[in-house]
Amino acid sequence: MESTVLSACLLLLLLGWGDGAVLPPDVLDTAPEPSMVELIQLFQDFMSRFNKTYSNPEEQHRRLLIFRQNLATARALEEAGQGLAQFGVTRFSDLTEEEFRAQLLSPMPGHTLRPAAQSPSKPAPPSCDWRKAGAVTPAKDQGLCGSCWAFAAVANIESLWFIRHQDLYNLSVQQVLDCSRLQVACGGGFPWDAFTVAWMYGLTQEEQYPYIGCQSLCKSGHQAVASIKIFQFLSSDEKKLAAHIATRGPVTVGINANLLQFYVEGIITKNMTCHCNPEEINHAVLLVGYGLAPEKKTPYWIVKNSWGPEWGEEGFFRIYRGGNACGIASLPVTAMVHEGAFDAAIESCPP
């Protein structure tokens, strides 16, 4: 690892900051804590932790400046989080906002909501977490393919199939990419594009059709282990949405994911959501439950992401529940899977 990470003194010299050199004006103008030496150490740790290398010293210099500005952004977000959320260094900390959006997010412009399905008549219980029932697979990593729409839909089917049949499968996202009718599946899509594939072909297991992070030809001959009857749009009323999740299972939603670039853990609070326009839906995720934090009695959603288990809270995050925070209730949609034996279904979500 020493060959890929420069020492603090050497990096200072390469960047012109050693031996009494004057810091560049753009750094001086915006340089809060940490100190420059501490910043270099943080950047080294970041490079080592996420195995980052750069083509030349100039590019490393540029990434350090981006890293530094992103630390300031993360610090401001954490201050706005009122102690309930932690923002800091993630594997995306050397990316500009534009690069982060281009590499990880998939804008969903022009979506039209269809009539929502009828919601459960009973009010939602105080809390729900389908992970406690074993109904949620570990978070997966979409990589640099804009396939969140497929991951969020497949995760929905995985959970619903378990709730109805007591069989938890890691289903193939790659099958969805390859067999969808999208010309550029890694360029983004809608969850119902994935549901259509599941309806037409059924879904096989991940181990039979592994993820490669790019679109290829649709392969036939794999045994389907899960299928769906239809998909349906749900009400954007968050009380009704919670009731649906508690009684019927996780739901796929869209979200403005701009705040997630530096998310580490905790609850993204209501007063932070001014940083994420709810009209700009650019990422698909899965609501797996909800709760109420004792601190300041903050209601929140529990959300499964597709950036791997090392990101966030083992691949999950929590965000304020109420007021359509970051657009999270704008586009709820779910599959309906084929029913199993009556006595196999799980009737309620664990609190």
Side-chain angles (χ1 to χ4, degrees):
M1 188 61 69
E2 291 180 358
S3 61
T4 61
V5 182
L6 297 172
S7 71
C9 293
L10 180 56
L11 184 54
L12 284 167
L13 289 169
L14 285 172
L15 299 181
W17 294 344
D19 293 338
V22 178
L23 297 180
D26 57 341
V27 175
L28 283 173
D29 290 344
T30 58
E33 294 293 337
S35 70
M36 189 53 61
V37 172
E38 291 170 333
L39 174 65
I40 298 296
Q41 186 60 57
L42 286 172
F43 189 59
Q44 283 188 301
D45 294 342
F46 162 78
M47 292 174 63
S48 177
R49 177 182 174 189
F50 297 106
N51 196 27
K52 296 276 186 172
T53 58
Y54 304 107
S55 57
N56 53 59
E58 291 73 22
E59 176 63 12
Q60 186 162 312
H61 178 187
R62 190 172 79 88
R63 292 298 166 183
L64 175 61
L65 295 180
I66 294 170
F67 177 83
R68 185 196 166 285
Q69 183 57 51
N70 285 340
L71 281 183
T73 299
R75 189 179 305 112
L77 289 172
E78 185 158 337
E79 290 175 357
Q82 300 177 314
L84 291 182
Q86 181 180 343
F87 289 80
V89 176
T90 71
R91 77 173 193 257
F92 312 123
S93 291
D94 63 343
L95 301 179
T96 66
E97 182 179 345
E98 292 74 21
E99 289 171 330
F100 173 72
R101 292 189 183 204
Q103 293 184 24
L104 276 299
L105 307 183
S106 304
M108 299 187 218
H111 59 265
T112 301
L113 287 179
R114 304 176 189 182
Q118 185 175 1
S119 302
S121 56
K122 294 183 179 179
S127 62
C128 159
D129 187 347
W130 280 109
R131 295 175 298 179
K132 296 179 180 178
V136 182
T137 58
K140 303 172 186 177
D141 192 350
Q142 69 185 73
L144 297 181
C145 173
S147 52
C148 61
W149 58 276
F151 276 92
V154 168
N156 173 259
I157 298 170
E158 289 172 341
S159 291
L160 297 183
W161 192 264
F162 176 82
I163 292 169
R164 301 292 180 269
H165 298 267
Q166 291 289 284
D167 289 319
L168 186 65
Y169 296 113
N170 271 300
L171 298 176
S172 175
V173 174
Q174 189 63 44
Q175 180 187 6
V176 170
L177 298 185
D178 293 350
C179 301
S180 73
R181 297 181 179 180
L182 299 174
Q183 291 185 343
V184 186
C186 281
F190 292 100
W192 46 91
D193 294 320
F195 290 140
T196 300
V197 174
W199 172 73
M200 292 177 62
Y201 301 98
L203 294 181
T204 190
Q205 296 187 67
E206 169 78 15
E207 62 184 18
Q208 300 298 321
Y209 204 143
Y211 186 68
I212 61 174
C214 63
Q215 189 177 20
S216 186
L217 296 177
C218 182
K219 302 175 181 65
S220 59
H222 297 286
Q223 179 184 3
V225 296
S227 59
I228 71 171
K229 297 185 293 184
I230 198 173
F231 64 88
Q232 58 183 181
F233 293 91
L234 302 175
S235 170
S236 293
D237 182 309
E238 292 185 64
K239 292 182 179 180
K240 294 179 179 179
L241 190 56
H244 181 100
I245 291 169
T247 57
R248 300 180 187 176
V251 169
T252 299
V253 295
I255 189 173
N256 181 327
N258 293 352
L259 283 175
L260 301 183
Q261 183 175 359
F262 312 120
Y263 175 84
V264 176
E265 63 181 2
I267 302 169
I268 298 173
T269 55
K270 181 179 181 180
N271 62 318
M272 301 177 67
T273 58
C274 60
H275 298 280
C276 53
N277 182 357
E279 300 297 323
E280 184 186 343
I281 304 300
N282 54 26
H283 193 48
V285 290
L286 185 74
L287 297 184
V288 302
Y290 59 87
L292 182 69
E295 307 89 343
K296 303 181 181 179
K297 297 183 178 179
T298 302
Y300 61 85
W301 293 111
I302 305 169
V303 194
K304 182 181 182 182
N305 201 358
S306 53
W307 295 344
E310 294 80 18
W311 178 88
E313 298 178 331
E314 298 184 351
F316 295 76
F317 67 97
R318 289 175 289 166
I319 187 170
Y320 180 78
R321 173 166 51 97
N324 193 26
C326 297
I328 200 164
S330 296
L331 199 63
V333 60
T334 186
M336 294 182 65
V337 305
H338 293 282
E339 300 294 335
F342 179 76
D343 58 354
I346 301 175
E347 296 183 358
S348 61
C349 178

